[in-house]
Amino acid sequence: MGERLREKLMLRGLYSAANAMRYRAHEVDVTANNLANVSTDGFKRDRIAMRAFGDILAARINDQSDDRPVSFPPGVNYIGIMNLGGPAVETEFIDFSPGRPQVTDNPLDLMLRGPGFFTIETPGGERYTRSGKFTLSSDGIIINPAGQPLLGVNGQPIRLTSPSPIFIHSNGEIVQDGLPVARIRVVEFSDIGNLEKEGFSMFRVKDPTNMAPLPAFQTSMEQGVLEGSNVDPIDALVQLITAQRAYEAAARAVDMFNQSMNRVSSELGRLPA
Protein backbone atom coordinates (compact mmCIF):
# COMPACT_ATOMS: atom_id res chain seq x y z
CA MET A 1 0.00 0.00 0.00
CA GLY A 2 1.41 3.40 -0.99
CA GLU A 3 2.19 5.89 1.73
CA ARG A 4 -0.16 8.49 0.24
CA LEU A 5 -3.09 6.03 0.19
CA ARG A 6 -2.33 4.94 3.73
CA GLU A 7 -2.37 8.57 4.85
CA LYS A 8 -5.74 9.17 3.16
CA LEU A 9 -7.27 6.13 4.83
CA MET A 10 -5.96 7.19 8.22
CA LEU A 11 -7.34 10.69 7.66
CA ARG A 12 -10.75 9.19 6.90
CA GLY A 13 -10.52 7.06 10.05
CA LEU A 14 -9.60 10.12 12.08
CA TYR A 15 -12.65 12.04 10.87
CA SER A 16 -14.87 9.01 11.44
CA ALA A 17 -13.72 8.68 15.05
CA ALA A 18 -14.09 12.43 15.61
CA ASN A 19 -17.64 12.25 14.22
CA ALA A 20 -18.40 9.45 16.66
CA MET A 21 -17.06 11.60 19.51
CA ARG A 22 -19.35 14.46 18.46
CA TYR A 23 -22.40 12.20 18.39
CA ARG A 24 -21.63 10.54 21.73
CA ALA A 25 -20.98 13.90 23.40
CA HIS A 26 -24.43 15.05 22.29
CA GLU A 27 -25.94 11.78 23.51
CA VAL A 28 -24.31 12.28 26.92
CA ASP A 29 -25.72 15.82 27.17
CA VAL A 30 -29.26 14.73 26.26
CA THR A 31 -29.22 11.71 28.57
CA ALA A 32 -27.77 13.68 31.49
CA ASN A 33 -30.52 16.28 31.13
CA ASN A 34 -33.15 13.53 31.12
CA LEU A 35 -31.62 12.00 34.23
CA ALA A 36 -31.56 15.38 36.00
CA ASN A 37 -35.33 15.69 35.45
CA VAL A 38 -36.33 12.23 36.65
CA SER A 39 -38.30 13.85 39.52
CA THR A 40 -39.76 16.77 37.53
CA ASP A 41 -43.55 16.60 37.25
CA GLY A 42 -44.76 16.32 33.67
CA PHE A 43 -41.25 16.20 32.21
CA LYS A 44 -40.92 14.53 28.80
CA ARG A 45 -37.58 13.01 27.93
CA ASP A 46 -35.62 13.90 24.81
CA ARG A 47 -34.42 11.19 22.48
CA ILE A 48 -32.04 11.15 19.54
CA ALA A 49 -32.04 8.88 16.51
CA MET A 50 -28.74 7.79 15.00
CA ARG A 51 -28.18 7.25 11.30
CA ALA A 52 -25.35 4.89 10.41
CA PHE A 53 -23.37 4.49 7.19
CA GLY A 54 -25.49 1.54 6.01
CA ASP A 55 -28.69 3.57 6.31
CA ILE A 56 -27.22 6.44 4.31
CA LEU A 57 -25.99 3.96 1.70
CA ALA A 58 -29.44 2.40 1.33
CA ALA A 59 -31.07 5.81 1.06
CA ARG A 60 -28.74 6.88 -1.77
CA ILE A 61 -29.12 3.78 -3.97
CA ASN A 62 -31.13 4.74 -7.08
CA ASP A 63 -31.13 8.33 -5.88
CA GLN A 64 -32.06 10.65 -8.73
CA SER A 65 -30.52 13.80 -7.25
CA ASP A 66 -28.64 16.25 -9.45
CA ASP A 67 -25.21 15.71 -7.88
CA ARG A 68 -24.26 12.86 -10.25
CA PRO A 69 -20.91 13.75 -11.87
CA VAL A 70 -20.95 14.25 -15.64
CA SER A 71 -17.94 11.94 -15.98
CA PHE A 72 -19.58 9.08 -14.05
CA PRO A 73 -19.94 5.91 -16.19
CA PRO A 74 -23.43 5.48 -17.68
CA GLY A 75 -25.51 2.49 -16.67
CA VAL A 76 -24.03 2.30 -13.17
CA ASN A 77 -26.00 3.31 -10.08
CA TYR A 78 -24.51 6.44 -8.56
CA ILE A 79 -24.62 6.30 -4.77
CA GLY A 80 -23.23 9.75 -4.16
CA ILE A 81 -20.48 11.25 -2.07
CA MET A 82 -20.81 9.58 1.30
CA ASN A 83 -20.07 11.26 4.61
CA LEU A 84 -16.81 10.55 6.37
CA GLY A 85 -18.27 7.70 8.37
CA GLY A 86 -19.31 7.20 11.96
CA PRO A 87 -22.75 7.72 13.46
CA ALA A 88 -24.68 10.92 12.89
CA VAL A 89 -27.70 12.45 14.65
CA GLU A 90 -30.57 12.13 12.22
CA THR A 91 -33.15 13.76 14.47
CA GLU A 92 -33.82 14.75 18.07
CA PHE A 93 -37.36 14.50 19.32
CA ILE A 94 -39.50 14.67 22.46
CA ASP A 95 -40.92 11.43 23.80
CA PHE A 96 -44.51 12.27 24.81
CA SER A 97 -45.29 8.89 26.36
CA PRO A 98 -47.11 9.26 29.72
CA GLY A 99 -45.19 9.52 32.96
CA ARG A 100 -45.74 7.56 36.14
CA PRO A 101 -48.87 8.52 38.16
CA GLN A 102 -48.21 9.77 41.68
CA VAL A 103 -51.14 9.86 44.11
CA THR A 104 -51.03 12.98 46.33
CA ASP A 105 -54.69 13.51 47.33
CA ASN A 106 -54.10 17.25 46.92
CA PRO A 107 -57.31 18.68 45.35
CA LEU A 108 -55.30 20.92 42.98
CA ASP A 109 -52.94 18.17 41.81
CA LEU A 110 -54.29 17.05 38.46
CA MET A 111 -53.30 14.38 35.96
CA LEU A 112 -54.35 14.13 32.33
CA ARG A 113 -55.08 10.75 30.81
CA GLY A 114 -54.81 11.00 27.07
CA PRO A 115 -52.94 13.30 24.66
CA GLY A 116 -54.14 16.64 26.08
CA PHE A 117 -52.31 19.57 27.71
CA PHE A 118 -53.22 22.16 30.32
CA THR A 119 -53.17 25.75 29.04
CA ILE A 120 -51.08 28.30 30.95
CA GLU A 121 -51.02 32.08 30.57
CA THR A 122 -47.47 33.47 30.32
CA PRO A 123 -45.98 36.85 29.33
CA GLY A 124 -45.06 35.24 25.99
CA GLY A 125 -48.58 33.99 25.30
CA GLU A 126 -50.29 30.67 25.89
CA ARG A 127 -48.11 27.72 26.78
CA TYR A 128 -49.00 24.07 27.30
CA THR A 129 -47.99 21.57 29.94
CA ARG A 130 -48.60 18.06 31.25
CA SER A 131 -47.59 19.09 34.76
CA GLY A 132 -50.76 19.37 36.84
CA LYS A 133 -49.25 20.74 40.04
CA PHE A 134 -51.32 23.82 40.92
CA THR A 135 -52.04 25.98 43.96
CA LEU A 136 -54.22 28.96 44.83
CA SER A 137 -52.70 32.42 44.85
CA SER A 138 -53.53 34.91 47.60
CA ASP A 139 -56.38 36.28 45.48
CA GLY A 140 -57.83 32.86 44.62
CA ILE A 141 -56.34 32.33 41.14
CA ILE A 142 -55.20 28.79 40.26
CA ILE A 143 -51.50 29.04 39.40
CA ASN A 144 -48.58 26.74 38.57
CA PRO A 145 -45.32 26.67 40.62
CA ALA A 146 -44.00 29.60 38.54
CA GLY A 147 -47.01 31.73 39.54
CA GLN A 148 -48.59 31.62 36.06
CA PRO A 149 -52.39 31.25 35.83
CA LEU A 150 -54.17 28.13 34.64
CA LEU A 151 -56.70 29.07 31.96
CA GLY A 152 -60.33 28.09 31.79
CA VAL A 153 -62.39 27.30 28.70
CA ASN A 154 -63.25 31.01 28.43
CA GLY A 155 -59.55 31.82 27.94
CA GLN A 156 -59.30 33.61 31.30
CA PRO A 157 -57.46 32.69 34.52
CA ILE A 158 -59.59 30.63 36.91
CA ARG A 159 -60.44 32.48 40.13
CA LEU A 160 -62.12 30.71 43.05
CA THR A 161 -63.86 33.02 45.52
CA SER A 162 -65.21 30.38 47.90
CA PRO A 163 -63.11 28.60 50.55
CA SER A 164 -65.30 25.52 50.14
CA PRO A 165 -63.77 22.15 49.16
CA ILE A 166 -62.83 21.82 45.49
CA PHE A 167 -64.06 18.94 43.35
CA ILE A 168 -62.86 18.55 39.77
CA HIS A 169 -64.62 16.22 37.37
CA SER A 170 -62.96 14.20 34.61
CA ASN A 171 -64.03 16.80 32.03
CA GLY A 172 -62.24 19.57 33.96
CA GLU A 173 -65.35 21.07 35.52
CA ILE A 174 -64.66 22.63 38.94
CA VAL A 175 -67.44 22.29 41.51
CA GLN A 176 -67.82 24.02 44.87
CA ASP A 177 -70.84 23.82 47.17
CA GLY A 178 -72.48 21.54 44.61
CA LEU A 179 -72.33 24.19 41.86
CA PRO A 180 -70.03 24.41 38.80
CA VAL A 181 -67.82 27.49 39.05
CA ALA A 182 -65.39 27.03 36.16
CA ARG A 183 -64.00 24.54 33.69
CA ILE A 184 -60.32 23.94 33.01
CA ARG A 185 -59.20 24.35 29.42
CA VAL A 186 -57.49 21.24 28.07
CA VAL A 187 -56.29 21.14 24.45
CA GLU A 188 -54.94 18.57 22.02
CA PHE A 189 -52.82 18.93 18.89
CA SER A 190 -53.02 17.30 15.48
CA ASP A 191 -49.22 16.89 15.43
CA ILE A 192 -47.37 17.03 18.75
CA GLY A 193 -44.14 16.91 16.78
CA ASN A 194 -44.68 20.64 16.20
CA LEU A 195 -44.33 21.36 19.92
CA GLU A 196 -41.02 22.45 21.41
CA LYS A 197 -39.85 22.75 24.99
CA GLU A 198 -39.67 26.07 26.79
CA GLY A 199 -38.62 25.06 30.29
CA PHE A 200 -40.60 24.35 33.46
CA SER A 201 -42.19 21.34 31.69
CA MET A 202 -43.97 23.69 29.30
CA PHE A 203 -44.27 23.63 25.54
CA ARG A 204 -45.04 26.08 22.80
CA VAL A 205 -46.14 25.65 19.20
CA LYS A 206 -43.26 26.13 16.75
CA ASP A 207 -45.48 27.78 14.13
CA PRO A 208 -48.87 28.90 15.52
CA THR A 209 -50.07 29.86 12.03
CA ASN A 210 -49.93 26.22 10.92
CA MET A 211 -51.19 24.41 14.02
CA ALA A 212 -53.83 25.69 16.43
CA PRO A 213 -54.80 23.86 19.64
CA LEU A 214 -57.91 21.71 19.35
CA PRO A 215 -60.61 20.88 21.93
CA ALA A 216 -59.65 17.82 23.97
CA PHE A 217 -62.02 14.98 23.08
CA GLN A 218 -59.64 12.14 23.93
CA THR A 219 -58.41 13.38 27.31
CA SER A 220 -59.82 13.03 30.81
CA MET A 221 -58.68 14.50 34.12
CA GLU A 222 -58.00 12.89 37.47
CA GLN A 223 -57.93 14.84 40.73
CA GLY A 224 -55.41 14.21 43.50
CA VAL A 225 -52.85 12.62 41.15
CA LEU A 226 -49.77 14.00 39.41
CA GLU A 227 -48.09 12.79 36.23
CA GLY A 228 -44.42 12.27 36.98
CA SER A 229 -41.50 12.31 34.60
CA ASN A 230 -41.46 9.66 31.86
CA VAL A 231 -37.71 9.12 32.39
CA ASP A 232 -36.80 5.65 33.62
CA PRO A 233 -33.82 6.35 35.92
CA ILE A 234 -32.26 2.90 35.48
CA ASP A 235 -32.48 2.98 31.68
CA ALA A 236 -31.19 6.56 31.58
CA LEU A 237 -28.25 5.73 33.83
CA VAL A 238 -27.30 2.70 31.72
CA GLN A 239 -27.57 4.79 28.55
CA LEU A 240 -25.41 7.52 30.08
CA ILE A 241 -22.67 5.09 31.09
CA THR A 242 -22.77 3.41 27.66
CA ALA A 243 -22.53 6.76 25.86
CA GLN A 244 -19.64 7.90 28.06
CA ARG A 245 -17.70 4.70 27.38
CA ALA A 246 -18.37 4.98 23.65
CA TYR A 247 -17.11 8.57 23.75
CA GLU A 248 -13.93 7.48 25.54
CA ALA A 249 -13.37 4.70 22.98
CA ALA A 250 -13.77 7.17 20.11
CA ALA A 251 -11.37 9.57 21.82
CA ARG A 252 -8.76 6.80 22.08
CA ALA A 253 -9.26 6.04 18.38
CA VAL A 254 -8.71 9.72 17.52
CA ASP A 255 -5.49 9.69 19.53
CA MET A 256 -4.33 6.48 17.82
CA PHE A 257 -5.00 7.85 14.31
CA ASN A 258 -3.30 11.10 15.23
CA GLN A 259 -0.16 9.28 16.37
CA SER A 260 -0.17 7.10 13.23
CA MET A 261 -0.50 10.13 10.97
CA ASN A 262 2.39 11.80 12.73
CA ARG A 263 4.55 8.73 12.07
CA VAL A 264 3.50 8.59 8.41
CA SER A 265 4.21 12.30 7.99
CA SER A 266 7.66 11.81 9.46
CA GLU A 267 8.36 8.88 7.11
CA LEU A 268 7.16 10.86 4.08
CA GLY A 269 9.45 13.67 5.08
CA ARG A 270 12.44 11.32 4.87
CA LEU A 271 11.59 9.96 1.40
CA PRO A 272 13.93 11.07 -1.40
CA ALA A 273 12.58 13.68 -3.75
Side-chain angles (χ1 to χ4, degrees):
M1 180 184 296
E3 294 298 331
R4 294 291 184 182
L5 178 58
R6 183 185 302 175
E7 185 175 12
K8 289 181 180 179
L9 291 176
M10 283 191 292
L11 183 62
R12 183 181 182 89
L14 175 63
Y15 282 130
S16 179
N19 195 36
M21 283 183 64
R22 188 184 309 114
Y23 169 78
R24 295 303 180 182
H26 184 60
E27 185 181 19
V28 167
D29 290 341
V30 170
T31 308
N33 182 66
N34 288 341
L35 199 54
N37 286 280
V38 72
S39 299
T40 303
D41 298 323
F43 179 82
K44 300 302 176 188
R45 64 179 177 173
D46 292 303
R47 304 187 70 174
I48 56 177
M50 180 182 73
R51 199 174 196 193
F53 175 85
D55 300 323
I56 301 172
L57 175 64
R60 288 306 304 265
I61 291 178
N62 296 323
D63 187 1
Q64 300 300 316
S65 59
D66 295 331
D67 59 352
R68 180 187 181 97
V70 175
S71 59
F72 197 79
V76 179
N77 287 339
Y78 174 62
I79 304 256
I81 299 174
M82 309 307 294
N83 66 6
L84 290 170
V89 176
E90 183 177 48
T91 184
E92 182 174 340
F93 61 95
I94 303 169
D95 179 359
F96 282 100
S97 60
R100 301 176 302 278
Q102 303 170 353
V103 178
T104 66
D105 293 325
N106 186 323
L108 287 178
D109 284 347
L110 306 172
M111 178 175 175
L112 297 177
R113 295 192 180 275
F117 294 81
F118 297 106
T119 309
I120 306 295
E121 182 182 76
T122 76
E126 291 184 358
R127 297 296 184 263
Y128 311 98
T129 184
R130 293 283 298 188
S131 175
K133 190 173 185 63
F134 300 107
T135 57
L136 282 179
S137 67
S138 58
D139 51 357
I141 295 177
I142 300 179
I143 57 175
N144 66 5
Q148 299 161 327
L150 173 67
L151 296 183
V153 291
N154 60 358
Q156 299 298 316
I158 299 173
R159 184 189 300 270
L160 303 181
T161 58
S162 170
S164 301
I166 301 168
F167 299 95
I168 302 177
H169 293 166
S170 61
N171 63 354
E173 185 177 64
I174 302 175
V175 176
Q176 289 184 294
D177 298 319
L179 298 174
V181 296
R183 186 174 175 181
I184 298 170
R185 184 186 180 204
V186 178
V187 298
E188 296 173 1
F189 296 93
S190 57
D191 182 8
I192 57 175
N194 283 323
L195 294 178
E196 61 183 3
K197 291 185 175 182
E198 198 178 72
F200 299 102
S201 294
M202 290 201 292
F203 303 89
R204 65 181 175 188
V205 179
K206 294 178 183 177
D207 185 2
T209 60
N210 289 334
M211 188 179 72
L214 305 171
F217 294 116
Q218 304 177 60
T219 305
S220 62
M221 195 177 303
E222 188 172 348
Q223 187 179 19
V225 184
L226 284 176
E227 179 181 358
S229 169
N230 68 349
V231 178
D232 185 311
I234 303 301
D235 286 349
L237 185 58
V238 170
Q239 183 180 1
L240 181 62
I241 294 173
T242 302
Q244 288 174 330
R245 289 178 176 173
Y247 176 88
E248 292 167 359
R252 288 193 296 270
V254 168
D255 185 59
M256 179 192 70
F257 279 114
N258 188 48
Q259 293 179 21
S260 298
M261 288 182 63
N262 287 337
R263 287 197 299 271
V264 170
S265 298
S266 298
E267 292 174 5
L268 287 177
R270 292 195 298 267
L271 292 177

